Amino acid sequence: MRRYEFNWDLIGDIDLGRPNLGKEVDLELYRLMQFTLRDVIEQTYSTEEADRLFREAGKVAGKVFYEKYINPVSSVEEFVSKTQKVLKEKKLGILRVEEAMLEQGKILLTVDEDLDCSGLPELDYETCIYDEGFISSLFEGFTKSEWDAREIDCWCTGARTCRFQVTERAKA
Amino acid sequence: MYYSDDEWVKLISTLIVNPVLPRNFTVDPSLLKNPEFKKLYDYLMDMRSLSSALSRGDLQHFVYGKGFILSNLKALQSNLRHLTWQTKKVADGDFSQRVDFLGEFSDAFNEMTVKLHDLTMRLTQLANMDTLTKIPNRRALEAFLVDSFKNAVGNKKPFSIIIFDIDFFKSTNDTYGHDAGDAVLVQVSGRLNRQFRAHDIFSRYGGDEFMAVLPGTSLRAAEKIAERARASVEEAEIPLNANDSIKVTVSAGISERLENDIRYEDVIKKSDRALYVAKKTGRNRVCCG
């Protein structure tokens, strides 16, 4: 019997629970939770395992997010424009498409002002692992086939925007 | 090999400043074994190749180096690539595209898409509207017929068509002139049009004929609507000019889609036959087919 299997009810009724403080929270503290969680997972398991778990968590988030905020959409155009709109409204980031060849299973997109990484200090590795899982799940929700997202440029490696190569697994 | 300070400055300056590297330009291989120099050298070469590609308009040139200047160049490349994608979307008729990352160009692009949207809407409206009566024309009618008939068949919903014809319109034209004929068309279409709902279509079918398509409406309900429309014309005085007015009447033929009507044309034919009966049996009446 699982205790933490995700469903939106676990999030609760925020309006009811926070009548004075509301829905907003300081982004620094969102990152505090994420980075401390990653710290502990890495210490407990390994860097690779921490990355894998973050990617998987991102995938779960992308899946339920797609169902709640994007679905239903009937065309690639609608999928892209609705995703752009919702990500911006929810202040997750500004999504831009550089190339969308859905039939060939290749998408190149960027996310500006990313929730997880914009403003981070420079590192020599890409850090938006959670986003990779999240983005791949959005495409999986839309196409019903398996996708992988890989970050090829990241704020924390000196880029001013995060760039993701998204590929359909069957066509990779 | 030893490089003096001057030689270092010259080497770096050549890599950064020279538009074309000198024909005999080489870097000492032993220098490239130094990881720090190699990193700087690769960075400068990436900078050269990416900036050169951008200046040529080549947006497919990717480099994987990182750092301040390269990142700015890559951000520009990324923006231009997104803009290319957006422009293709606009070409496909998606005028919702907006740019917010290229300063004055963004304003110009956004103004263009807003104007294109407005213009397209206006042209679409004009292309689908009868210029005299300002009601939908035959083009709009046919598009509506295709969609609504398909929907009615798919959802097994009632579907009725009414055809109206102005009685003795030719003699009105001959007696009072074409301007009077036009005034009659405008007034009659306006009165008939008021009887229909937003999800029906009332259109000019041709000459002095009008067609109403009523999705989700049975023959009996359509008959009541047609009768009300007919009466609204009969009771009206149609002004021809400041001093004169005339009275006109309309006849109407109605039919409903039945199981064996597989095309909307089948329903139109039945309405047309009913209209013929209305004309033959005295005009100013509604007949069902």
Side-chain angles (χ1 to χ4, degrees):
Chain A
M1 178 74 177
R2 288 186 55 195
R3 181 183 289 181
Y4 298 124
E5 183 174 6
F6 184 82
N7 68 76
W8 287 101
D9 291 341
L10 289 174
I11 303 265
D13 186 338
I14 299 169
D15 290 333
L16 181 70
R18 288 170 58 105
N20 299 306
L21 296 177
K23 287 185 176 178
E24 307 293 321
V25 67
D26 192 328
L27 182 60
E28 185 182 35
L29 300 177
Y30 158 79
R31 286 187 184 176
L32 173 71
M33 191 196 74
Q34 190 182 109
F35 282 82
T36 50
L37 187 61
R38 181 141 58 181
D39 176 336
V40 174
I41 295 174
E42 186 185 39
Q43 285 186 65
T44 310
Y45 300 104
S46 64
T47 306
E48 294 71 31
E49 193 59 3
D51 285 351
R52 189 186 72 76
L53 292 174
F54 259 68
R55 188 176 287 106
E56 285 304 308
K59 276 192 102 79
V60 174
K63 187 179 174 193
V64 294
F65 186 89
Y66 177 84
E67 288 305 326
K68 183 165 181 176
Y69 292 109
I70 313 291
N71 202 28
V73 282
S74 55
S75 64
V76 189
E77 287 74 22
E78 195 186 354
F79 168 62
V80 171
S81 65
K82 202 166 174 184
T83 305
Q84 283 177 315
K85 187 167 174 271
V86 176
L87 292 185
K88 196 169 182 179
E89 275 173 9
K90 299 286 173 195
K91 300 183 181 175
L92 293 174
I94 299 167
L95 174 73
R96 293 191 181 122
V97 178
E98 283 192 33
E99 199 164 64
M101 298 188 291
L102 205 69
E103 298 77 22
Q104 287 107 303
K106 276 191 213 163
I107 314 287
L108 193 60
L109 51 86
T110 60
V111 180
D112 280 7
E113 299 189 32
D114 186 82
L115 177 71
D116 291 339
C117 80
S118 290
L120 291 189
E122 263 192 58
L123 307 165
D124 58 358
Y125 53 87
E126 283 80 20
T127 191
C128 298
I129 310 284
Y130 188 88
D131 283 3
E132 289 182 347
F134 186 84
I135 290 169
S136 63
S137 261
L138 296 184
F139 282 88
E140 287 178 2
F142 176 61
T143 62
K144 309 296 175 215
S145 57
E146 290 183 313
W147 288 72
D148 292 307
R150 192 170 65 86
E151 193 182 28
I152 54 176
D153 277 314
C154 179
W155 178 287
C156 67
T157 58
R160 312 324 282 172
T161 185
C162 296
R163 199 180 222 171
F164 294 89
Q165 178 90 59
V166 196
T167 47
E168 192 173 4
R169 207 171 283 174
K171 293 174 184 166
Chain B
M1 183 178 170
Y2 174 79
Y3 275 76
S4 68
D5 286 352
D6 282 351
E7 284 169 330
W8 270 113
V9 171
K10 195 175 170 203
L11 173 62
I12 301 302
S13 170
T14 301
L15 285 169
I16 295 176
V17 178
N18 274 34
V20 179
L21 292 179
R23 193 178 290 273
N24 58 353
F25 177 80
T26 53
V27 176
D28 181 358
S30 64
L31 208 51
L32 290 169
K33 285 181 186 160
N34 177 335
E36 284 306 309
F37 177 80
K38 177 76 167 61
K39 198 172 159 189
L40 176 64
Y41 177 77
D42 287 346
Y43 188 86
L44 293 175
M45 292 307 279
D46 275 353
M47 233 173 68
R48 288 184 68 91
S49 70
L50 181 55
S51 59
S52 170
L54 288 174
S55 74
R56 294 193 309 272
D58 174 5
L59 301 179
Q60 303 291 337
H61 184 88
F62 293 98
V63 297
Y64 294 96
K66 305 172 193 308
F68 180 70
I69 299 175
L70 266 186
S71 296
N72 285 336
L73 290 174
K74 283 205 262 186
L76 173 64
Q77 180 195 38
S78 169
N79 285 341
L80 292 173
R81 284 173 59 80
H82 179 57
L83 187 62
T84 306
W85 180 83
Q86 288 188 293
T87 307
K88 285 180 186 166
K89 293 285 139 198
V90 172
D92 289 341
D94 175 3
F95 303 126
S96 68
Q97 295 297 326
R98 296 289 180 273
V99 176
D100 56 6
F101 49 84
L102 282 174
E104 286 174 34
F105 179 85
S106 300
D107 297 337
F109 183 94
N110 297 342
E111 192 180 333
M112 176 188 77
T113 51
V114 168
K115 282 185 176 168
L116 279 173
H117 175 260
D118 293 349
L119 188 63
T120 306
M121 293 292 282
R122 209 158 67 232
L123 288 174
T124 306
Q125 201 179 27
L126 283 173
N128 288 303
M129 190 177 74
D130 178 62
T131 49
L132 175 68
T133 59
K134 312 290 185 223
I135 60 173
N137 61 14
R138 193 151 178 163
R139 175 206 297 265
L141 170 69
E142 279 171 12
F144 187 88
L145 276 165
V146 170
D147 289 346
S148 57
F149 187 81
K150 193 175 159 192
N151 189 40
V153 172
N155 297 309
K156 295 190 168 23
K157 296 274 187 190
F159 175 90
S160 296
I161 290 178
I162 310 172
I163 304 176
F164 293 95
D165 185 278
I166 301 175
D167 298 327
F168 303 112
F169 181 70
K170 187 174 180 307
S171 78
T172 305
N173 247 342
D174 293 344
T175 309
Y176 300 101
H178 286 292
D179 287 348
D182 285 351
V184 168
L185 287 169
V186 171
Q187 292 288 325
V188 168
S189 63
R191 287 192 158 260
L192 294 174
N193 193 21
R194 283 197 280 278
Q195 306 302 323
F196 298 96
R197 304 160 300 182
H199 61 274
D200 301 329
I201 191 172
F202 175 73
S203 60
R204 190 162 180 198
Y205 188 43
D208 60 327
E209 281 192 330
F210 302 95
M211 182 183 288
V213 180
L214 296 86
T217 305
S218 67
L219 183 68
R220 289 298 144 228
E223 187 181 7
K224 283 183 188 167
I225 296 166
E227 179 52 34
R228 204 162 55 227
R230 183 206 63 74
S232 77
V233 173
E234 185 182 25
E235 70 192 20
E237 286 282 341
I238 310 280
L240 299 180
N241 52 47
N243 304 315
D244 303 313
S245 64
I246 58 168
K247 286 182 86 70
V248 295
T249 58
V250 293
S251 301
I254 315 169
S255 71
E256 182 183 12
R257 182 187 74 85
L258 299 176
E259 277 298 306
N260 56 348
D261 296 323
I262 53 169
R263 302 175 314 148
Y264 66 76
E265 288 90 340
D266 298 332
V267 189
I268 293 177
K269 271 186 196 156
K270 291 193 296 181
S271 297
D272 219 12
R273 281 199 294 269
L275 175 63
Y276 180 78
V277 173
K279 290 283 187 188
K280 282 290 167 196
T281 54
R283 297 184 169 86
N284 190 23
R285 68 190 56 209
V286 172
C287 286
C288 297

